[in-house]
Amino acid sequence: MNPLSVLVGKAVRRASKLRGGGSALPGLVVERLDPGFMGRALTGLKHGVVVVSGTNGKTTTTKMVVELLQGQGLKVFTNRTGSNFTRGVAAALLGEVDWRGRLDADIAVLELDEAHAVHFVRLVPPRYSLLLNVLRDQLDRFGEIDATTRLLETIALATTGTVVLNREDPRVAGIAASVTVADVVYFGLDASLRSTFPNDDELRGAAGTAPASALPADVVLEKVDGNSAVFLLNDAAPEISAAGSVAGGTVHADLRLRGVYNIFNAAAALATARAVLGAAVKQDALIASLSAVEPAFGRGESLVVDGQALELVLVKNPSGFRLGLKSFDPAGCATMIAINDNYADGRDMSWLWDVDFDSLGLDGVEVVSGVRAYDMALRLKYDDVPVRAVEPDLPAALREFISGSKDSPKRIFCTYTAMLAVRRELSKITKVEVVS
């Protein structure tokens, strides 16, 4: 290990935090100074490395896996900012390693952008990987949807232990045919829930390959009722126990996470934790940990402004925006939309035209903001959604939104960099979790 590169990286990280800078800069510095830093820091962990990737749900699912494993007594390292490029992982490591670059952890659970994960697994082959879904997202970066599938396949092929796949996504499930070294397990849905979680072909009304739902899944999401869910585990027993949890079988969980999409992500997290823990899993503790998970920052995160709740909902592609609108009732809630087109958001915003905004028609949208504010306003006009103000400047828009809806709960749908900017502004007027 190069102690000098670690010390320089830690110094840059401290300076960046003092200046309120981005979380990835120190990682970029240490990558340039010492390209082998991550590989050495993450080698030798007792339970290895878990890579979580896919188009939607990475941050929240990673958070769930981390907390499930922590609830089993493991010391877990993760990149909790959601900065999912390799430089983000390196930056997070700088906050945890000692001056010699040694990491005190049993396992690392890392969220990684699909393209950056390919670079990461060449440096650090994961013992476990969780591949969530393939949906049309940032075509300017990834190319067509089959190119994204190939990126995820590369992660699976580099995995040495177990690959966890979504059996309801035919492209993800199809990756299993290429896996020769690792074991493969699946998470999935009961047939009654299939229409709630459409795959990419179904979203577009295309006649794609039928989902491989006949595949045996380790965890199946059976029922959803609000924030409550019933999961069927692979060593299935016919009844829910009185305590709501048994060693396998059918289990019930009341989740703190909001959004129907997060409940399917919970099935993915359960399957991954069970793969890591094996026979040592403590099932009651696993379900208790799942029920206690709070939303990841910006993903249904709830703050308080002027005595009213303000929710932040990240949107980044048609599926995410559709499910976000479906999961959060707009009635009685003031709505703001903030759309940026920076690199981390994806430059191509044409996907906004694949989202149905009719549910916002009754109460309308108070403010539209961000770099692509006028594009968003035009899209809403075509769905007859009233927009009361268009203000591209995010700080100004946020002030207008808060002052104009003082007596109402509030919700902001925002792309990734817009969400970061909104959180920075909100931290000036209310308590916002500092994530570093």
Side-chain angles (χ1 to χ4, degrees):
M1 185 63 71
N2 183 349
L4 179 60
S5 66
V6 175
L7 292 174
V8 170
K10 283 181 171 288
V12 173
R13 185 175 187 273
R14 181 173 178 80
S16 180
K17 286 182 67 177
L18 290 172
R19 296 184 61 185
S23 62
L25 175 61
L28 180 60
V29 171
V30 79
E31 277 188 325
R32 296 283 176 87
L33 289 175
D34 185 3
F37 165 70
M38 275 193 306
R40 292 192 301 272
L42 292 170
T43 296
L45 299 179
K46 180 180 178 181
H47 293 281
V49 174
V50 181
V51 167
V52 180
S53 196
T55 310
N56 274 25
K58 293 185 290 293
T59 299
T60 299
T61 307
T62 299
K63 188 173 190 290
M64 284 192 274
V65 174
V66 168
E67 296 190 26
L68 292 179
L69 296 178
Q70 288 175 333
Q72 303 284 308
L74 297 185
K75 188 176 291 185
V76 185
F77 165 74
T78 190
N79 52 331
R80 67 190 298 264
T81 66
S83 180
N84 57 23
F85 294 0
T86 53
R87 69 193 67 161
V89 175
L93 275 169
L94 286 168
E96 297 293 330
V97 297
D98 63 19
W99 68 273
R100 293 179 180 175
R102 293 180 300 200
L103 178 65
D104 181 19
D106 298 312
I107 189 169
V109 180
L110 304 174
E111 169 195 351
L112 283 164
D113 163 275
E114 299 92 301
H116 281 258
V118 170
H119 173 61
F120 176 86
V121 299
R122 292 191 186 112
L123 299 172
V124 187
R127 190 175 302 176
Y128 307 93
S129 58
L130 167 59
L131 307 180
L132 294 166
N133 42 53
V134 179
L135 297 156
R136 285 163 207 277
D137 180 53
Q138 301 189 27
L139 298 182
D140 51 310
R141 287 181 55 211
F142 297 139
E144 247 305 323
I145 192 166
D146 291 328
T148 305
T149 306
R150 288 192 292 274
L151 295 175
L152 297 185
E153 183 179 51
T154 301
I155 301 169
L157 292 176
T159 302
T160 62
T162 302
V163 179
V164 182
L165 300 176
N166 177 359
R167 77 172 186 189
E168 311 302 344
D169 187 313
R171 291 179 176 84
V172 172
I175 290 172
S178 302
V179 177
T180 57
V181 175
D183 296 325
V184 175
V185 299
Y186 300 92
F187 65 97
L189 295 165
D190 184 79
S192 64
L193 294 174
R194 282 297 325 286
S195 61
T196 303
F197 303 93
N199 61 49
D200 186 80
D201 293 321
E202 292 163 339
L203 275 171
R204 297 182 299 110
T209 305
S213 55
L215 292 166
D218 183 64
V219 178
V220 176
L221 175 59
E222 282 209 317
K223 297 178 183 178
V224 176
D225 182 9
N227 284 10
S228 296
V230 174
F231 301 94
L232 179 64
L233 308 183
N234 68 350
D235 41 350
E239 300 292 340
I240 302 175
S241 71
S245 176
V246 292
T250 308
V251 297
H252 172 270
D254 292 315
L255 305 182
R256 296 185 184 181
L257 299 168
R258 297 195 60 197
V260 65
Y261 45 87
N262 282 329
I263 297 180
F264 191 28
N265 292 338
L270 282 170
T272 305
R274 283 163 59 86
V276 172
L277 297 162
V281 65
K282 300 170 185 173
Q283 199 68 53
D284 288 342
L286 198 69
I287 301 305
S289 296
L290 181 65
S291 298
V293 177
E294 299 282 355
F297 80 105
R299 279 78 170 176
E301 177 183 22
S302 185
L303 311 173
V304 177
V305 176
D306 292 337
Q308 296 286 344
L310 186 153
E311 291 178 315
L312 297 177
V313 182
L314 178 70
V315 294
K316 59 193 287 287
N317 54 36
S319 174
F321 215 148
R322 288 180 182 189
L323 286 172
L325 291 168
K326 181 176 182 177
S327 298
F328 297 93
D329 186 357
C333 186
T335 300
M336 173 176 164
I337 301 177
I339 304 295
N340 280 353
D341 64 352
N342 296 317
Y343 177 75
D345 306 299
R347 301 288 191 184
D348 181 3
M349 288 291 127
S350 62
W351 62 265
L352 293 171
W353 293 88
D354 295 328
V355 182
D356 181 355
F357 293 97
D358 289 348
S359 62
L360 298 176
L362 184 61
D363 293 328
V365 173
E366 297 297 322
V367 184
V368 174
S369 186
V371 178
R372 301 296 286 269
Y374 286 100
D375 297 79
M376 186 70 247
L378 177 65
R379 175 68 193 93
L380 292 171
K381 179 179 175 62
Y382 273 82
D383 273 0
D384 296 320
V385 177
V387 176
R388 293 171 183 83
V390 179
E391 173 52 77
D393 182 72
L394 269 168
L398 188 60
R399 289 193 297 270
E400 182 174 349
F401 178 57
I402 291 171
S403 64
S405 53
K406 282 188 176 296
D407 298 325
S408 302
K410 304 165 186 63
R411 184 173 300 123
I412 304 176
F413 294 98
C414 40
T415 57
Y416 182 70
T417 66
M419 181 264 290
L420 295 179
V422 166
R423 288 182 97 254
R424 282 196 298 271
E425 291 303 310
L426 288 171
S427 70
K428 299 174 183 177
I429 60 173
T430 190
K431 183 179 179 180
V432 176
E433 180 190 8
V434 176
V435 181
S436 60

